[in-house]
Amino acid sequence: MDAPPMTSSPASAVRGAHLAGLAVQSLNRECFCVSLDPAALDSALASQIGEADIVNLMRERCPYAFSARPVFVSHAQQERMMDAIRAVESVVALPAYREQILAAAPAIARRDPGGAKGVFLGYDFHVTDEAIGLIEVNTNAGGAMLNAVLARAQRRCCAPLRDLGRDARTLEENIVAMFRNEWRLSGGADPLRCIAIVDESPEVQYLYSEFLLFQRLFERHGLKAVIADPRALTLRDGGLWHGDTRIDLIYNRLTDFMLEAPSSAVVREAYLQRAAVLTPHPQAHALYADKRNLAIWSDARQLEALDVPAQTQGILLANIPRTEIVDAAQADRLWRGRRGLFFKPMSGFGSRAAYRGDKLTQRVWQSIVNG
């Protein structure tokens, strides 16, 4: 994708940090000299959003959005993450893989997205002292702007953290460049003028404050930006409109990934008619974020059948937990081994209907087996 992959949660991470020769494991256990500065956080939010009531809403609605302490990630772990990401990207680029995935996907996912790659592809890794595990890929990952704010709100007591404010500015510049690049890749001959940040009932969404941060960021870079429910959009005169404002590009934050809900009808038609650029789009979700894909990426036989190179196979198998699709024929075996398993719905998001195997009841297990 266009921008460096990002996690979908606004955790505070300092990459490759080494303080007084301490290992990352020791830092995570023992180093508490750097932490979130609540006053600096409020100041950063106020300077970026502007309205005190929205800042207060953020604090009330999202009290745990920001980690109070940093999580240190070693250079070696970061390199393993990048290797895993490159391996996934190489598999997704294979014609055989794309044909297999899109043949089973809804028709809208097979539609040519017109050059757009999809903004904010998020690779979610579980990290331990020695290992990493890719547990999910998101195509509408949230938290990027919250990370930028968070970087400005850290107490800095050591050299590796002194450039965080500069890193935040660079991140924001890269975000704007990513959206402009999506517009360019989609064939936009004229400059990008207007972006619609679209989600259902955006004002009640958990990350509404982030929508406002995006809006302000776009406006600071000369782009008009509106935050809209999909039902507030209309198609006319060959274009997509929000009131009297013509929309060039939709920043899609909907969790209706295939645009199947009645409320998504106008967005769906705008995409099909190329009335506006949609990013991320259904094809990106099918190729990357459908959790059934993890069952391919973590299965040596399926990778072999796709002619994935041996080196790439090794990286995927070492860094993606073994994943399989629940099948009624395997129900007894999975139930017996449930304590070492984690169960997720194939099209879920936000940890909804996700279960630790050791917490499963028979009633919930039957509903999982029944689909």
Side-chain angles (χ1 to χ4, degrees), residues 196 198 226 228-235 240-243 247 250 266-267:
V198 175
V226 299
D229 184 287
R231 290 163 290 201
L233 303 174
T234 57
L235 279 169
L240 181 68
W241 298 79
H242 181 260
I247 304 301
I250 299 172
V266 173
V267 173

Coordinates of all heavy atoms in Angstrom, one line a residue, residues 196 198 226 228-235 240-243 247 250 266-267:
A196 N -14.5 13.1 1.3 CA -15.6 12.8 2.3 C -15.2 11.7 3.2 O -14.8 10.6 2.7 CB -16.9 12.5 1.6
V198 N -16.4 9.0 5.5 CA -17.7 8.4 5.5 C -17.8 7.3 6.5 O -17.0 6.3 6.4 CB -18.2 8.0 4.1 CG1 -19.5 7.3 4.2 CG2 -18.3 9.2 3.2
V226 N -15.3 16.8 4.4 CA -16.6 16.7 5.1 C -16.7 15.4 5.8 O -16.1 14.4 5.3 CB -17.8 16.9 4.1 CG1 -17.8 18.3 3.4 CG2 -17.8 15.8 3.1
A228 N -19.4 12.6 6.8 CA -20.7 12.3 6.4 C -21.2 10.9 6.6 O -20.4 10.0 6.5 CB -20.9 12.7 4.9
D229 N -22.5 10.8 7.0 CA -23.2 9.5 6.9 C -23.4 9.2 5.4 O -23.6 10.1 4.6 CB -24.5 9.6 7.6 CG -25.3 8.3 7.7 OD1 -25.8 7.9 6.7 OD2 -25.3 7.8 8.8
P230 N -23.3 7.9 5.0 CA -23.4 7.6 3.6 C -24.8 8.0 3.1 O -25.0 8.3 1.9 CB -23.3 6.1 3.5 CG -23.5 5.6 4.9 CD -23.0 6.7 5.8
R231 N -25.8 8.1 3.9 CA -27.2 8.5 3.5 C -27.3 10.0 3.2 O -28.3 10.4 2.7 CB -28.2 8.0 4.6 CG -28.4 6.5 4.6 CD -29.0 6.1 5.9 NE -28.2 6.2 7.0 CZ -28.3 5.6 8.2 NH1 -29.3 4.7 8.3 NH2 -27.5 5.8 9.2
A232 N -26.2 10.7 3.6 CA -26.3 12.2 3.3 C -25.6 12.5 2.0 O -25.6 13.7 1.6 CB -25.5 12.9 4.4
L233 N -25.2 11.5 1.2 CA -24.6 11.7 -0.1 C -25.6 11.4 -1.2 O -26.6 10.6 -1.0 CB -23.4 10.7 -0.3 CG -22.3 10.8 0.8 CD1 -21.3 9.7 0.6 CD2 -21.6 12.2 0.8
T234 N -25.5 12.1 -2.3 CA -26.4 11.9 -3.4 C -25.6 11.9 -4.7 O -24.5 12.4 -4.8 CB -27.4 13.1 -3.5 OG1 -26.6 14.4 -3.7 CG2 -28.3 13.2 -2.3
L235 N -26.2 11.2 -5.7 CA -25.6 11.1 -7.0 C -26.4 12.0 -8.0 O -27.6 11.8 -8.1 CB -25.6 9.6 -7.5 CG -24.5 8.7 -7.1 CD1 -24.9 7.2 -7.4 CD2 -23.2 9.1 -7.7
L240 N -20.7 12.6 -7.3 CA -21.2 12.4 -6.0 C -21.2 13.7 -5.2 O -20.2 14.4 -5.2 CB -20.3 11.4 -5.3 CG -20.6 11.0 -3.8 CD1 -22.0 10.2 -3.8 CD2 -19.5 10.2 -3.2
W241 N -22.2 14.0 -4.5 CA -22.4 15.3 -3.8 C -22.8 15.1 -2.3 O -23.5 14.2 -1.9 CB -23.5 16.1 -4.5 CG -23.2 16.4 -5.9 CD1 -23.3 15.5 -7.0 CD2 -22.7 17.6 -6.4 NE1 -22.9 16.2 -8.2 CE2 -22.5 17.5 -7.8 CE3 -22.3 18.8 -5.9 CZ2 -22.0 18.5 -8.7 CZ3 -21.8 19.9 -6.7 CH2 -21.7 19.7 -8.1
H242 N -22.3 16.1 -1.5 CA -22.7 16.2 -0.2 C -23.3 17.6 -0.1 O -22.5 18.6 0.0 CB -21.5 16.1 0.8 CG -21.9 16.2 2.2 ND1 -21.7 17.4 3.0 CD2 -22.6 15.4 3.1 CE1 -22.2 17.3 4.2 NE2 -22.7 16.0 4.3
G243 N -24.6 17.8 -0.2 CA -25.2 19.1 -0.3 C -24.8 19.7 -1.7 O -24.9 19.1 -2.7
I247 N -17.9 15.7 -4.3 CA -16.9 14.8 -3.6 C -16.0 14.2 -4.7 O -16.5 13.5 -5.6 CB -17.6 13.7 -2.8 CG1 -18.5 14.4 -1.7 CG2 -16.5 12.9 -2.1 CD1 -17.9 15.3 -0.8
I250 N -13.8 9.3 -1.5 CA -14.4 8.9 -0.2 C -13.3 8.2 0.6 O -12.8 7.2 0.1 CB -15.6 7.9 -0.5 CG1 -16.7 8.6 -1.3 CG2 -16.1 7.4 0.8 CD1 -17.8 7.6 -1.7
V266 N -25.8 4.5 -1.9 CA -25.2 5.5 -2.7 C -23.7 5.4 -2.9 O -23.2 5.6 -4.0 CB -25.6 6.9 -2.1 CG1 -24.9 8.0 -2.9 CG2 -27.1 7.2 -2.2
V267 N -23.1 5.0 -1.8 CA -21.6 4.8 -1.9 C -21.3 3.6 -2.9 O -20.4 3.7 -3.8 CB -21.0 4.4 -0.5 CG1 -19.6 4.0 -0.7 CG2 -21.1 5.6 0.4

